[in-house]
């Protein structure tokens, strides 16, 4: 397994660096959940799209460049290294759009994919419900087929980007007699439809954007179903793997957090124990980077070996550990250091810490990932379930 970059890949990296240097925002943007901030983020997204950098790995016919998995990794690394704004349409870019590419019809692809890249449509994910967070088999929102329409009733919760989203890719139960993963359907819902109510939901780290979404007799065209009616779990599995998937620059963000920790450790004259801990975390970050490269190699060579759960679980654990150590080193000063973290409404490292803890839950909790690794990849006996 060769994990070094070729001359062509290095050229691609330099091209990106030059464009980001010339065109990247020179200052920090306001929160995308404020009116001026949304306009600022939209202007940046339009600049990316016009230059062909909105989603380089997407097909050229919908606005991408069709680059391979290694080039996509380089793009993610440089985007993180330049500390560029969080993507406005990240749900659509990371897993909504690619799921449509994998399972949608040509009509569905041409209808929805361009709007994701231009941010004409902002996508969110509608999987979690009050009784179905990590356990998606417990989804209760219903989709009743009536002629050419599906009538949706129920509630989704913990919806990231929910207060700015126009479009939701959701799991609904279309067979009321079904249980578990059977009888679910994956469908695209226009959140501007009559009967949709979006309520903002606060988060511990202070960032807005979360929402709970209620559906009351919402009429959705059956043509919006991705895959087959009743086969939604199969489609959703693709979306979940994409969400957990490759590191998407998280190893670069870890390295940046580690540099911050090293700087703070030196500045505060921290103990020998803190220095040793810094070394341990540096080793974990280096190992994680190699795991991200190995995962990219598997994808690029089409071998299909699934590291998604391992990448997701270890990545969130390491990042939380780095932030916890930084809180320990800084002490009370951690509460007032406003330069740590993007879009922070809560000052200091505390915001990063809470975001890291949240990452251990979203996209399937780390407990769920351990079950997947044990049962599907190691072939261990299944956990007893009621």
């Amino acid at each position: 397994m060769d994990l070094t970059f070729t001359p062509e890949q290095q050229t691609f990296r330099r091209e990106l660096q030059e464009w980001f240097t010339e065109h990247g925002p020179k200052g920090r943007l306001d929160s995308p959940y404020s009116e001026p901030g949304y306009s600022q983020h939209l202007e940046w997204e339009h600049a990316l799209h016009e230059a062909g950098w909105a989603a380089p790995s997407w097909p050229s016919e919908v606005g991408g460049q069709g680059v391979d998995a290694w080039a996509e990794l380089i793009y993610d690394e440089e985007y993180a290294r330049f500390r560029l704004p969080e993507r406005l349409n990240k749900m659509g870019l990371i897993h909504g759009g690619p799921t449509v590419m994998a399972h949608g019809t040509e009509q569905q692809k041409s209808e929805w994919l361009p709007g994701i890249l231009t941010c004409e449509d902002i996508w969110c994910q509608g999987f979690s419900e009050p009784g179905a967070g990590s356990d998606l088999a417990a989804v209760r929102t219903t989709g009743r087929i009536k002629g050419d329409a599906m009538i949706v009733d129920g509630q989704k919760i913990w919806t990231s980007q929910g207060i700015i989203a126009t479009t939701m890719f959701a799991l609904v139960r279309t067979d009321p007699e079904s249980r578990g993963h059977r009888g679910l359907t994956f469908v695209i819902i226009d959140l501007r439809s009559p009967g949709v109510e979006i309520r903002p939901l606060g988060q511990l780290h202070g960032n807005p954007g979360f929402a709970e979404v209620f559906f009351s007799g919402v009429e959705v065209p059956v043509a919006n179903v991705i895959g087959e009616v009743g086969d939604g779990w199969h489609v959703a599995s693709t979306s979940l793997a994409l969400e957990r998937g490759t590191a998407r620059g998280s190893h670069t963000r870890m390295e940046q957090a580690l540099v911050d920790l090293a700087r703070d450790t030196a500045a505060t004259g921290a103990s020998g124990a803190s220095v040793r801990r810094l070394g341990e975390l540096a080793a974990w970050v280096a190992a994680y980077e190699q795991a991200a490269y190995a995962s990219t190699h598997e994808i690029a060579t089409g071998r299909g070996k699934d590291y998604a759960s391992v990448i997701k679980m270890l990545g969130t654990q390491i990042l939380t550990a780095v932030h916890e150590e930084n809180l320990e080193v800084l002490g009370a000063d951690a509460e007032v250091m406003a330069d740590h973290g993007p879009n922070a409404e809560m000052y200091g490292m505390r915001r990063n810490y809470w975001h890291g803890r949240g990452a251990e839950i979203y996209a399937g909790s780390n407990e769920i990932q351990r079950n997947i690794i044990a049962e599907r990849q190691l072939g261990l006996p299944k956990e007893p379930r009621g």
Side-chain angles (χ1 to χ4, degrees):
M1 183 183 297
D2 184 3
L3 302 182
T4 58
F5 294 102
T6 66
E8 291 76 16
Q9 289 165 342
Q10 296 286 19
T11 299
F12 179 76
R13 185 186 295 279
R14 284 193 295 274
E15 183 183 351
L16 264 172
Q17 291 170 338
E18 290 169 4
W19 195 88
F20 285 157
T21 299
E22 183 176 354
H23 299 281
K26 305 309 177 193
R28 188 168 168 172
L29 305 186
D30 292 334
S31 167
Y33 308 111
S34 68
E35 190 170 336
Y38 187 84
S39 296
Q40 293 165 9
H41 282 263
L42 202 55
E43 183 179 355
W44 168 236
E45 292 290 348
H46 287 167
L48 285 170
H49 179 250
E50 288 170 7
W53 291 123
S57 63
W58 283 31
S60 56
E61 53 267 31
V62 295
Q65 299 183 24
V67 302
D68 65 12
W70 278 109
E72 185 176 33
L73 176 136
I74 291 169
Y75 176 87
D76 291 337
E77 285 185 339
E78 294 305 320
Y79 197 94
R81 186 167 291 120
F82 275 75
R83 298 179 187 259
L84 294 170
E86 187 173 44
R87 300 301 300 274
L88 197 59
N89 214 356
K90 59 183 179 183
M91 298 291 170
L93 292 168
I94 293 173
H95 44 127
T99 300
V100 172
M101 288 183 218
H103 297 280
T105 64
E106 293 306 313
Q107 172 65 28
Q108 290 171 332
K109 294 174 190 175
S110 62
E111 180 177 350
W112 288 317
L113 297 181
I116 294 174
L117 296 187
T118 60
C119 289
E120 182 179 348
D121 302 312
I122 304 294
W123 284 40
C124 64
Q125 181 189 70
F127 285 1
S128 297
E129 299 183 4
S134 290
D135 182 14
L136 292 181
V139 161
R140 298 177 64 181
T141 293
T142 60
R144 180 168 50 87
I145 305 295
K146 185 179 180 182
D148 294 334
M150 174 189 292
I151 311 300
V152 178
D153 290 281
Q155 177 190 358
K156 299 294 179 180
I157 199 167
W158 309 306
T159 305
S160 300
Q161 312 284 87
I163 67 170
I164 60 172
T166 62
T167 309
M168 172 183 282
F169 52 101
L171 268 183
V172 300
R173 190 166 293 282
T174 43
D175 179 358
E177 304 300 323
S178 64
R179 294 290 182 271
H181 297 155
R182 297 179 179 177
L184 296 171
T185 296
F186 191 103
V187 64
I188 308 297
I189 302 174
D190 187 337
L191 296 180
R192 295 158 292 198
S193 303
V196 176
E197 182 183 0
I198 299 173
R199 299 178 187 171
L201 201 59
Q203 298 183 78
L204 274 173
H205 62 42
N207 262 14
F210 245 26
E212 52 186 341
V213 183
F214 296 83
F215 302 95
S216 179
V218 177
E219 191 169 317
V220 180
V222 173
N224 284 18
V225 170
I226 305 296
E228 301 294 330
V229 171
D231 192 33
W233 181 249
H234 173 60
V235 181
S237 295
T238 297
S239 179
L240 289 167
L242 288 163
E243 185 180 15
R244 296 162 186 160
T246 57
R248 294 197 178 83
S250 59
H251 53 288
T252 306
R253 286 185 284 276
M254 276 184 206
E255 291 164 0
Q256 291 168 335
L258 200 64
V259 169
D260 290 341
L261 173 59
R263 180 197 61 197
D264 294 337
T265 302
T268 57
S271 67
S274 294
V275 174
R276 283 193 295 276
R277 181 64 177 150
L278 174 62
E280 292 170 358
L281 290 169
W284 273 109
V285 170
Y288 180 80
E289 180 185 72
Q290 291 303 298
Y293 287 3
S295 177
T296 301
H297 174 81
E298 293 295 322
I299 295 169
T301 55
R303 294 168 65 178
K305 203 166 184 177
D306 185 8
Y307 288 120
S309 292
V310 175
I311 291 289
K312 192 274 178 183
M313 185 183 72
L314 289 181
T316 55
Q317 286 181 332
I318 295 169
L319 197 55
T320 298
V322 172
H323 293 325
E324 282 180 333
E325 182 62 20
N326 216 338
L327 286 174
E328 180 70 21
V329 166
L330 289 172
D333 288 344
E335 308 299 331
V336 294
M337 299 185 68
D339 62 331
H340 287 66
N343 305 322
E345 291 200 348
M346 177 182 287
Y347 280 136
M349 285 299 303
R350 188 68 61 185
R351 183 263 178 201
N352 289 347
Y353 168 73
W354 282 118
H355 186 77
R357 294 303 301 268
E360 294 182 25
I361 298 172
Y362 66 62
S365 70
N366 284 1
E367 287 74 14
I368 293 291
Q369 304 315 310
R370 291 188 182 93
N371 275 357
I372 292 172
I373 294 166
E375 296 174 4
R376 300 182 193 172
Q377 297 174 6
L378 300 179
L380 296 176
K382 289 184 178 295
E383 179 188 37
R385 296 179 172 88

